[in-house]
Amino acid sequence: MAGRRALHFVFKVGNRFQTTHFFRDVLGMKVLRHEEFEEGCKAACNGYDILYLKSPDDHFVAELTYNYGIGDYKLGNDFMGITLASSQAVSNARKLEWPLSEVAEGVFEIEAPGGYKFYLQNRSLLQSDPVLKVTLAVSDLQKSLHYCINSLLSSQCKLELQGIKGAVDHAAAFGRIAFSCPHKELPDLEDLMKKENQTILTPLVSLDTPGKATVQVVILADPDGHEICFVGDEAFRELSKMDPEGSKLLDDAMAADKSDEWFAQRNKPKASG
């Protein structure tokens, strides 16, 4: 399965201001691009921001999805954390007095707004991807390993599966992990999932981004319901080029977002996802 690589994890965020502060100022990520849509796309996403630590072309990134009018999302037990190596992030957290808890020698647990957990190793990698692994909960480890071997194999950004007792609860904050593969492999992947009687959430579809590349995606669900998106690599590389205006677009969008004021004036809370 050469040519497959891990791309990003999608986080649903209720407080865009605090979350952006965490990812930019604590983790040290930069804005790759900012998009806003009036309607959800065919892949069931909405406006989003993509942030990265080093090279956005071949390193794992974070995608933040924000929906106006949603103040928070209930967490489940599905997402167990992202581990990254960054002594700078540890230093940033201490400087900003962001709570850190040392869970092992040189490894610190930190919580993003909304409750998402990150694990910071107090070391830095000069060349390789600082994002080391994404940890997801599974109810049947052997069944999930079989599924991953058939569909996901990727040498980049380890996907760690951790068995838990009981069912996996995705609640409302459920995320999505994305991988790329050569676009010619997407129909074969979809056919394989059909033969294996696996869940296909979104059959092969083309997604248009105005003025940018059109990408093809297939979205699957593993045995525990984790959403897994496969994207055609060639078009995605064109789509994921850094937008030099991305950070400004995000700042402008946050400045123009008066939804908190709108709800406060009417003495209403934002909805919970």
Side-chain angles (χ1 to χ4, degrees), residues 212-230:
K212 298 180 181 178
T214 296
V215 298
Q216 291 185 309
V217 306
V218 174
I219 302 177
L220 313 174
D222 81 347
D224 285 297
H226 290 290
E227 293 192 6
I228 305 165
C229 179
F230 279 92

Side-chain angles (χ1 to χ4, degrees), residues 8-53:
H8 58 255
F9 191 85
V10 179
F11 296 95
K12 293 178 181 175
V13 304
N15 190 313
R16 183 163 53 171
F17 300 92
Q18 292 181 4
T19 305
T20 298
H21 171 55
F22 174 80
F23 278 86
R24 287 204 292 201
D25 301 329
V26 179
L27 297 187
M29 288 187 162
K30 299 176 182 178
V31 178
L32 175 63
R33 73 180 192 271
H34 169 82
E35 304 282 353
E36 298 227 2
F37 304 104
E38 293 184 2
E39 299 178 353
C41 73
K42 298 176 185 177
C45 61
N46 211 311
Y48 58 83
D49 303 292
I50 295 183
L51 298 96
Y52 69 98
L53 272 169

Side-chain angles (χ1 to χ4, degrees), residues 88-192:
Q88 185 61 56
V90 174
S91 176
N92 292 342
R94 287 171 172 162
K95 187 181 301 182
L96 294 168
E97 299 184 345
W98 201 283
L100 282 173
S101 175
E102 190 166 16
V103 294
E105 186 176 356
V107 181
F108 298 88
E109 180 181 292
I110 189 170
E111 194 171 286
Y116 299 109
K117 294 186 184 300
F118 287 77
Y119 295 90
L120 308 180
Q121 294 186 2
N122 195 13
R123 64 190 180 99
S124 294
L125 304 177
L126 296 179
Q127 300 297 328
S128 56
D129 191 347
V131 180
L132 303 179
K133 62 183 177 182
V134 178
T135 304
L136 301 178
V138 297
S139 60
D140 186 326
L141 191 55
Q142 292 305 314
K143 187 175 182 180
S144 294
L145 286 173
H146 173 75
Y147 181 91
C148 287
I149 289 171
N150 275 347
S151 64
L152 298 183
L153 286 181
S154 171
S155 62
Q156 187 197 44
C157 184
K158 298 175 184 176
L159 175 60
E160 180 179 72
L161 305 177
Q162 187 167 321
I164 63 170
K165 294 182 179 179
V168 173
D169 176 16
H170 298 277
F174 65 92
R176 176 187 295 165
I177 192 166
F179 294 82
S180 75
C181 67
H183 76 278
K184 64 182 180 181
E185 293 182 9
L186 291 173
D188 293 337
L189 176 63
E190 184 177 42
D191 288 342
L192 174 63

